[in-house]
Amino acid sequence: MRYYALCAFILAGSTVLSGGSAQADERAIGAVDPRIGTGGAGHTYPGASVPFGMVQLSPDTAMTDFRHSYAWAAGYQYGDPTIMGFSHTHFTGAGHSDLGDVLVMPIAGDVRLEPGDAAVPGSGYRSRFRHATEVEKPGYYAVTLDDYGVRAELTAGKRVGWHRYVFPQGKPAHVLLDLRPSIYDYPGKVSWARLHVGADGTVSGCRMTRGWAPGRVLCFAMRFSQPMTARTLYNRETNVPYRGFKGPGYQPVDHDAQNGRALEAVFDFGALKAPLLVKTAISPVSEANAIDNLTREGAGWDFDARHAQAQAAWEHALSVIDVQGTPDQRTQFYTALYHVMLAPTLSTDASGDYRGPDYEVHKANGFDFYSTWSTWDVYRAQQPLLAILRPDLSAQFVRSLVVSAQDSPFGLLPVWAYQGLETWCMIGYHAVPIIADAYLAGVRGFDADAALKAMVRSATYGPYGDLADYMKIGYVPIDKEAEGASKTLEYAYDDWALARMARAMGKTAIADEFERRSRNWRHVWDSKTGFMRARTTDGQFHTPFNPAAAAYGSDYTEGNAWQYSWYVPQDVPGLITAMGGREKFTAKIDALFDARVDPAIFRNVEDISGLIGWYAHGNEPDHHVVYLYDYAGQPWKTQQRLTQIMQTQYALRPDGLAGNDDLGQMSAWYIFTALGFYPVAPASGEYAVGRPFVSKAVVHLGNGHAFTITADNLDDAHPYVGAVTLNGHPLPRFFLQQKDVLAGGELHFVMQATPQTK
Amino acid sequence: MRYYALCAFILAGSTVLSGGSAQADERAIGAVDPRIGTGGAGHTYPGASVPFGMVQLSPDTAMTDFRHSYAWAAGYQYGDPTIMGFSHTHFTGAGHSDLGDVLVMPIAGDVRLEPGDAAVPGSGYRSRFRHATEVEKPGYYAVTLDDYGVRAELTAGKRVGWHRYVFPQGKPAHVLLDLRPSIYDYPGKVSWARLHVGADGTVSGCRMTRGWAPGRVLCFAMRFSQPMTARTLYNRETNVPYRGFKGPGYQPVDHDAQNGRALEAVFDFGALKAPLLVKTAISPVSEANAIDNLTREGAGWDFDARHAQAQAAWEHALSVIDVQGTPDQRTQFYTALYHVMLAPTLSTDASGDYRGPDYEVHKANGFDFYSTWSTWDVYRAQQPLLAILRPDLSAQFVRSLVVSAQDSPFGLLPVWAYQGLETWCMIGYHAVPIIADAYLAGVRGFDADAALKAMVRSATYGPYGDLADYMKIGYVPIDKEAEGASKTLEYAYDDWALARMARAMGKTAIADEFERRSRNWRHVWDSKTGFMRARTTDGQFHTPFNPAAAAYGSDYTEGNAWQYSWYVPQDVPGLITAMGGREKFTAKIDALFDARVDPAIFRNVEDISGLIGWYAHGNEPDHHVVYLYDYAGQPWKTQQRLTQIMQTQYALRPDGLAGNDDLGQMSAWYIFTALGFYPVAPASGEYAVGRPFVSKAVVHLGNGHAFTITADNLDDAHPYVGAVTLNGHPLPRFFLQQKDVLAGGELHFVMQATPQTK
């Protein structure tokens, strides 16, 4: 019920939602609102999955042309008037995209074979819907498809998506299956597809798409709770360079298989008296594996039991942190925690088979293989958070990364991978800090030597991102490789993380070598302009230089000099010195936040959003910056800016995320920040302390200990930290050691109205 | 040696080659000249295969743009100056094409990565060559690649192609592998490919192409006799709609795998002192199966032994007929017999796996699955010839056809299929007469009931070629379906063949029904114009009508009214009556042959060639026509025209075939005709008698009997049959019963100078 009430606020344009006077549902999952992020730039999906599940079964409102698709990266935009159907795979919060596999649409009455125009009701199979009919909960989604009068409910298991459709009385019920559309659609994306109806009524198939991960194969197996009365399989392809001869396959047929690029099927069920259930398993490996996944995990036809299982899985997952706070605070917090637990996603079939970056099928022995690795985003806070909350999962993640490198034709750790395949999106070798941070946080259960070997390989493979020149001259020359400034900075941090792990393992030579490399940030520091800048091979800084300029493929990655010049998390003191000392350093951060910036300047770089001055909270490069005041002895400024960021960049609205959630990174930033600390330099073993945003939180660490955060006097009138103690002892600096967190204990804040400037 | 001698004649433009005074090689294979058909419109390939083998390893001189590729359907044209490389799959004599998989080129010295321009030496990896260096024998091909000084030899096993390369001293030896080119190449044909170098040096991979059979997957496994010193794998793709992010995969890499659309590899071997052997197995199923095929069939490194095996296989296959004649006669005859035995091709892996028209992998139990079915061509003479020569193979062919129907999403027998997949090319359901003819020729070892069921299904599936209307109104209406006239004629014949088999099986109802349908030819007979003509749904003949007009998609299939109006092989007496009796009938055949026709009229229909008047020997629809004089009581005209056709349409030259060999049909016509009889209506159990072109032939029938043809006084001065006896008894008519052939015996001709007009 709460959701409907919230909805009214949203439609009225309320900025911050009040959660009401009483919580009907005391459980963590009752506080989650999956609508947050489904509007604006959040790019999250509202549909059903289990934590880190293979299936993300969610409504798609548009799968648009790839030239205008950024906003539809999760298939759904809250402002859209129609639903195309329910597809089984989605990224959560990505900036680029793909997926939207195996689109299903329940239809009552006449069937149209094209999705049609959202602005023209009845022009296609898509249906209008009203938000008042939607129910969004972790692991559950429901909506009424108004054009058909069909009530649709979705839930999910690990590898199986469950649909329950109630059709209006007396109208013929159909299920349309469309294997053509994809998120980020474009001509020829589906290279080949197959669709097969087995003798037992199981519908199965695969499609190969040439999308973000080229040559991706996604297979599925689908069963219905009631027998089909008829079926028609279509090959709807037109206008291809070479079509060959027209066989009967290009006509609608009622037979058992179709192969082609543009397959679609309509399954008829006649007038139904009971709900129709559909269960669909997917597999990134094979059709046989999809059938096996369905058989092993999709027994029976009890939708409610499956829904209860999904809820229980979420309640278990979210119970790692008990938060006290207002309903709004709890909703914001648990929705963020929910978003943190959507990726990486399971990519192992029930049999243990998985597909690796070599496109081959491998067997995962003794672990689950996870993929969906947006490493550039999640190494910052999402993976460090899971390393302490869920070391059991973190170990599986690390094993997945390491076997990926072993399976890689290049021997490289994932950069941006999903369903096992590599996309080479973004920069850096940030699987390195993910592994190093996990190792230093005490995560075990993986072969550290093999991991270190893969890390070194990733950090020394010359053809990747011009590491060849980086290793030779200490920076990535902009005349040879785009985004040379940001690449140099991020490589240097990754090198430092690698050195940290090598040092901890006693591999001194490796540690020394990569520590040396971690100082390479200095090669792009221009003391004259006071910014990090790209250099050409001859050592000159790249000109002309405009610290405000940002463009894809420029000197920086999704950012400008203002945004990127802070990226030395491994040596903030060094950066402070370079920038002329503490005074100048903090004045420059102030200037970052206080600048008057016309957001239109970034209209060509979609990812830069959530602006406060130049500071862009909607993208990752500045996520650590607000905590840098701590290093310069001005923690009250960190506290002040955090209040400003939390108030302006997160809200209980569909567009309540200021930028892409980025596979949980935006949300992980929220969780850490709400708890009062943040990993500025993952793998450092240290957190910078900010200010808490909840009055009490008990963090049930994966190691069995509990770490409790409490805050006295916490309210909007008391946004500053007056005192902070760890287990009763005052913290000497605004930093917290990871070992102290892992040991369990209490971090106690006393909040006050004014900054504590000493 | 003989080949070099022949070559000189060819270069001198000699029309008919003299075989020399003495045969050095008395064996049948010594008489075969695989160059015949490799120039002009023959479209045969000169390379190495075993009878009906899966591998056709042959040089490609061009794999051209699909808009201008007809002449290069076998990858090689005799007049071309350069060789691009040696690929492992080729059709023999096809009019449309595909294949050219797994192109290999040995290179000494510098490596260029593009094939380059044949007119610009050194512009690419292709090499000039001279015919004087070529050796073509069944199962063996050799050539010197002049640009590299590399001597290349090829031979083949069933599933393995063998290469032996001798590199010039002191130059670095390389093998280039290009997975991009195909025959009938066009943009985007390769949907996806994979290339992998195993730890043991085995190179394997697959590619999916969207060609004639869309979604075809062809895999391979390759081993080298000497270790590589280095290797570089390339992804050479440019300019695709969505390329994604550039990873190191788009740069040449020395690692173990590549995946993409445009893969290429260069394997380096340093300066070699011994020949380099390359062995490559293919599989239409999987990479693992290709490796398995190579392991099971490709042991060791004895090229000469493999060559000897291939020779032995051919000698065994060709020994089914012993022919006496001049060297020229023997060369013409055995080359034709060789061409008859190149297709269909083995499409079962060593494991028994094959891919069916549903694109799924099936297991062949107790038989080998063969594909490459150009049914429109080969049902006429090639399959009827093999049914009596090789009933053992014919049974396997029929089983392959029947399981194809069982595996088909539509339940249909192959139309034009290869590697198990359907292309829907050409018209009719001519697998029906192939099976019926085999059954009536006594071929057993297949499930006749299952076969009949598939035949009926193929003949009654409404969506195929407008069978729906054909069954309703008795003809294919041209306003609904192109080529309605020829489709009606051929369906009617197929129906008759089906009825013949059903009758023999005692299935009276089916026999009656299809006998009735076989009279449908009358629905397209226009007594007013005296031609077979298309009708519209309303029963009117299609206008305007021009009996000379021919175009793709017109009223006729690769022909005009003159060429198609004879197609009632199942009821020639009925046709004679329709045409106004014997006089008018034979006068009209005379008019067919004697017309003065400008070949330019057919410039838009490539397949119509080999013209004598309107008669087109280079294409199939008229192949039976010359024998129709027999039915009208003028066998001497059959004899006269046969002499004319044999003298003008077959020659010992690369362009010695007047049209596409069409998977052995042109050559099978030659074999039957040279023996003195021809199956005008396959499945009739009857042959029309012509005149022999060899003085003695012993046909070793598959049933163990021998059927001997002898001809007294046979020479150019005695082209007419004076007398003909079967086992000493005069033949009452110029027809021969198949049962008499199968029983063994002797058909004896006495030739004379003048026609025996009574």
Side-chain angles (χ1 to χ4, degrees), chain A residues 300 393 419 511 599 661 741:
Chain A
L393 278 175
Q419 292 177 8
D661 195 55
V741 174

Side-chain angles (χ1 to χ4, degrees), chain A residues 55-80:
Chain A
V55 161
Q56 305 86 34
L57 177 54
S58 188
D60 296 299
T61 58
M63 290 168 151
T64 56
D65 186 286
F66 77 107
R67 291 163 297 181
H68 311 288
S69 51
Y70 179 73
W72 283 268
Y76 180 99
Q77 265 288 348
Y78 196 81
D80 286 344

Side-chain angles (χ1 to χ4, degrees), chain A residues 577-592:
Chain A
T577 303
M579 285 193 172
R582 292 183 164 204
E583 288 284 308
K584 288 190 176 168
F585 180 75
T586 52
K588 195 171 182 106
I589 311 180
D590 288 342
L592 174 81

Side-chain angles (χ1 to χ4, degrees), chain B residues 63-346:
Chain B
M63 292 169 152
T64 56
D65 185 286
F66 77 107
R67 291 163 297 181
H68 312 287
S69 50
Y70 178 74
W72 283 269
Y76 180 99
Q77 265 288 349
Y78 196 81
D80 286 344
T82 67
I83 285 174
M84 265 180 75
F86 307 108
S87 72
H88 291 75
T89 55
H90 295 84
F91 292 126
T92 179
H96 202 72
S97 198
D98 194 13
L99 307 177
D101 298 295
V102 195
L103 185 86
V104 168
M105 185 66 170
I107 292 172
D110 293 343
V111 178
R112 294 167 203 88
L113 294 172
E114 293 298 324
D117 182 348
V120 184
S123 63
Y125 62 67
R126 63 170 74 237
S127 169
R128 285 167 289 185
F129 74 109
R130 289 160 295 128
H131 289 305
T133 71
E134 278 183 307
V135 181
E136 296 96 342
K137 294 192 288 186
Y140 179 83
Y141 173 87
V143 68
T144 299
L145 299 169
D146 287 334
D147 287 356
Y148 302 120
V150 171
R151 183 67 182 166
E153 296 172 279
L154 311 175
T155 189
K158 282 198 287 185
R159 300 174 178 90
V160 180
W162 294 80
H163 315 230
R164 179 163 63 189
Y165 299 136
V166 179
F167 290 88
Q169 289 290 320
K171 275 201 172 178
H174 314 275
V175 171
L176 179 144
L177 169 64
D178 200 341
L179 293 185
R180 301 170 301 166
S182 292
I183 297 173
Y184 265 47
D185 214 353
Y186 51 84
K189 181 161 181 176
V190 178
S191 305
W192 198 247
R194 165 183 163 72
L195 184 54
H196 177 258
V197 184
D200 67 349
T202 301
V203 177
S204 59
C206 297
R207 67 175 191 170
M208 174 184 266
T209 50
R210 183 138 213 272
W212 197 10
R216 181 176 67 97
V217 173
L218 194 283
C219 302
F220 71 95
M222 183 181 289
R223 292 189 182 127
F224 302 97
S225 63
Q226 306 206 40
M228 296 175 209
T229 56
R231 65 202 186 209
T232 314
L233 311 187
Y234 299 85
N235 185 344
R236 303 270 294 165
E237 186 176 35
T238 55
N239 197 26
V240 290
Y242 177 84
R243 180 168 173 154
F245 296 84
K246 279 175 88 166
Y250 283 102
Q251 303 173 39
V253 292
D254 62 353
H255 296 104
D256 64 356
Q258 273 281 26
N259 292 274
R261 258 184 180 159
L263 304 189
E264 197 175 359
V266 176
F267 307 107
D268 306 324
F269 297 90
L272 291 175
K273 299 210 167 138
L276 177 68
L277 268 65
V278 185
K279 54 189 178 189
T280 310
I282 62 172
S283 164
V285 171
S286 70
E287 192 172 334
N289 277 19
I291 293 170
D292 183 56
N293 288 345
L294 185 56
T295 303
R296 293 203 208 188
E297 295 191 3
W301 292 108
D302 191 339
F303 183 91
D304 292 326
R306 296 296 177 173
H307 177 194
Q309 282 176 0
Q311 279 192 305
W314 275 112
E315 185 58 27
H316 173 74
L318 297 173
S319 68
V320 291
I321 307 180
D322 290 328
V323 165
Q324 288 181 16
T326 65
D328 285 1
Q329 284 171 343
R330 282 172 52 86
T331 293
Q332 200 84 64
F333 190 94
Y334 280 116
T335 302
L337 192 57
Y338 166 77
H339 282 148
V340 164
M341 294 182 169
L342 293 172
T345 57
L346 183 67

Side-chain angles (χ1 to χ4, degrees), chain A residues 96 186 192 194 210-212 214 237 242 245 247 249 251 253 255 257 259 358-360 409-410 423-424 457 461 463, chain B residues 96 186 192 194 210-212 214 237 242 245 247 249 251 253 255 257 259 358-360 409-410 423-424 457 461 463:
Chain A
H96 202 73
Y186 51 84
W192 199 248
R194 163 183 165 73
R210 183 137 214 275
W212 197 10
E237 186 175 36
Y242 178 83
F245 296 84
Q251 303 173 39
V253 291
H255 297 105
N259 293 273
D358 54 354
Y359 292 79
E360 285 294 277
F410 313 103
T423 72
W424 306 113
R457 168 74 179 177
Y461 183 68
Chain B
H96 202 72
Y186 51 84
W192 198 247
R194 165 183 163 72
R210 183 138 213 272
W212 197 10
E237 186 176 35
Y242 177 84
F245 296 84
Q251 303 173 39
V253 292
H255 296 104
N259 292 274
D358 54 354
Y359 293 78
E360 286 293 278
F410 312 103
T423 72
W424 306 113
R457 168 74 179 176
Y461 183 68

Side-chain angles (χ1 to χ4, degrees), chain A residues 203-228:
Chain A
V203 178
S204 58
C206 296
R207 66 176 193 170
M208 173 183 266
T209 50
R210 183 137 214 275
W212 197 10
R216 182 176 66 97
V217 173
L218 193 283
C219 302
F220 71 96
M222 183 180 291
R223 291 186 183 131
F224 302 97
S225 62
Q226 306 204 39
M228 295 175 208

